[in-house]
């Protein structure tokens, strides 16, 4: 959720940014270990919903674009992404499935990528759970991901769900509202 994130643009900022991020991480998570990643000034955040079953089958249920953010918190999520060509979508989806298969992933999850202006994509993370934006995927596919997740845990296979194959079946948009409350009392 953006906790501990710092952007370092000059070498002389590195030490103080690391120390500040470590303090925040320790305070928020009880652990001051950091991950250092390349920063892209202009990029898109695209994630693929995946499902893996106990039989070793893994599929994707298309992407969600989550580029519009505030303070590293997603605000707008939509599917399909307005920037992916069919070829790029296929390549990213195959990479997401390959990543899940490489770790024998069993569950509903999300493989996230950063996409730059040259249509190069980079692995960001795997969220090993349903994310709050999973209804976007449910709306475009007509599938109940919570039910499917439970059924996978019970041993059902993906082939029993009849998920959509290659065509994007719809369009969905989710908007999150962030509001600050001011509490005061009058005596």
């Amino acid at each position: 959720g953006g906790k501990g994130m710092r952007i370092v643009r000059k070498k002389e900022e590195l030490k103080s940014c690391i120390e500040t991020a470590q303090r925040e991480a320790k305070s928020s998570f009880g652990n001051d270990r950091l991950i250092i990643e390349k920063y892209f000034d202009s990029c898109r955040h695209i994630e693929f919903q995946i499902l893996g079953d106990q039989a070793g089958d893994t599929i994707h249920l298309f992407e969600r674009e989550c580029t519009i953010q505030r303070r590293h918190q997603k605000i707008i999520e939509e599917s399909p992404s307005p920037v992916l060509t069919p070829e790029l979508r296929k390549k990213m989806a195959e990479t997401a499935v390959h990543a899940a298969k490489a770790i024998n992933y069993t569950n509903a999850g999300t493989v996230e990528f950063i996409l730059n202006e040259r249509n190069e994509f980079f692995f960001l993370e795997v969220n090993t759970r349903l994310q709050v934006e999973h209804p976007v995927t449910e709306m475009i596919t007509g599938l109940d991901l919570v039910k499917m997740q439970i059924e996978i845990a019970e041993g059902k296979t993906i082939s029993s769900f009849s998920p959509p194959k290659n065509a994007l079946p719809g369009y969905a948009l989710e908007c999150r509202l962030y509001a600050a409350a001011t509490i005061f009392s009058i005596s």
Side-chain angles (χ1 to χ4, degrees):
K3 288 280 187 188
M5 292 177 109
R6 299 290 180 277
I7 298 169
V8 178
R9 296 188 187 276
K10 298 177 184 168
K11 184 179 176 180
E12 47 277 356
E13 297 172 346
L14 182 62
K15 186 176 190 279
S16 67
C17 284
I18 286 175
E19 290 168 352
T20 303
Q22 285 179 314
R23 281 192 303 274
E24 188 174 347
K26 181 75 171 173
S27 171
S28 297
F29 308 113
N31 186 323
D32 69 352
R33 288 185 290 170
L34 302 178
I35 296 172
I36 297 176
E37 300 173 308
K38 183 175 181 171
Y39 178 75
F40 294 95
D41 273 316
S42 179
C43 63
R44 292 183 172 269
H45 184 142
I46 298 177
E47 58 191 29
F48 278 79
Q49 183 70 56
I50 56 164
L51 288 172
D53 66 22
Q54 296 173 29
D57 291 326
T58 305
I59 61 167
H60 73 89
L61 296 173
F62 307 103
E63 80 277 2
R64 294 186 296 259
E65 168 124 10
C66 314
T67 299
I68 299 174
Q69 300 184 14
R70 181 175 184 263
R71 296 183 183 154
H72 309 291
Q73 295 293 312
K74 299 169 186 173
I75 296 174
I76 304 289
E77 287 136 48
E78 66 180 316
S79 187
S81 166
V83 300
L84 293 189
T85 63
E87 297 78 23
L88 184 56
R89 176 176 292 111
K90 182 178 188 286
K91 188 173 179 183
M92 290 179 80
E94 288 171 351
T95 302
V97 168
H98 181 75
K101 283 185 174 192
I103 59 172
N104 299 315
Y105 189 74
T106 302
N107 198 352
T110 308
V111 180
E112 300 192 15
F113 300 100
I114 294 294
L115 178 69
N116 70 16
E117 297 125 342
R118 295 187 305 259
N119 283 337
E120 299 169 319
F121 61 94
F122 302 88
F123 173 80
L124 188 58
E125 66 180 340
V126 175
N127 281 301
T128 56
R129 59 181 164 75
L130 282 179
Q131 292 185 274
V132 69
E133 60 270 17
H134 79 272
V136 172
T137 299
E138 291 182 330
M139 292 299 294
I140 66 160
T141 62
L143 300 171
D144 182 338
L145 297 181
V146 174
K147 180 181 177 197
M148 291 171 76
Q149 184 178 34
I150 292 167
E151 290 176 346
I152 286 171
E154 293 173 340
K156 278 199 173 179
T157 61
I158 290 168
S159 60
S160 67
F161 300 130
S162 299
K165 296 290 182 210
N166 296 320
L168 281 164
Y171 176 84
L173 177 76
E174 179 178 286
C175 304
R176 294 190 203 175
L177 299 178
Y178 292 91
T182 304
I183 302 173
F184 61 93
S185 63
I186 301 175
S187 6

